[in-house]
């Protein structure tokens, strides 16, 4: 029976130098997830979005960090 994984990734861990996302980090995470699922296992990925609100979008929308 294939295994099932839940992977929670921090949004901040996928960014660099104040930018929201870094493509190189996304590529590395995608490769890691692919390796986990190559044996038929399934993975669900939850991507955090706190960095979208803290000091960025949220402040402009009236959400306190």
């Amino acid at each position: 029976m294939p295994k099932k994984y839940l992977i929670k990734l921090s949004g901040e861990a996928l960014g660099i130098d104040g930018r929201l996302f870094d493509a190189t980090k996304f590529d590395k995470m995608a490769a890691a997830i692919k390796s986990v699922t190559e044996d038929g296992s399934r993975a669900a990925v939850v991507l955090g979005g706190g960095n979208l609100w803290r000091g960025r979008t949220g402040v402009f929308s009236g959400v306190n960090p």
Side-chain angles (χ1 to χ4, degrees):
M1 178 151 130
K3 294 181 180 180
K4 296 178 184 178
Y5 297 94
L6 173 61
I7 302 167
K8 197 292 187 181
L9 300 174
S10 164
E12 286 186 29
L14 296 173
I16 189 170
D17 296 332
R19 287 180 276 164
L20 292 177
F21 303 110
D22 177 39
T24 302
K25 289 183 179 182
F26 267 89
D27 288 343
K28 287 180 181 179
M29 287 295 123
I33 293 166
K34 181 181 176 189
S35 71
V36 167
T37 60
E38 286 177 338
D39 68 353
S41 295
R42 297 166 63 184
V45 179
V46 177
L47 180 61
N51 59 320
L52 297 174
W53 291 102
R54 287 188 299 275
R56 299 180 193 275
T57 307
V59 172
F60 298 113
S61 300
V63 176
N64 294 324

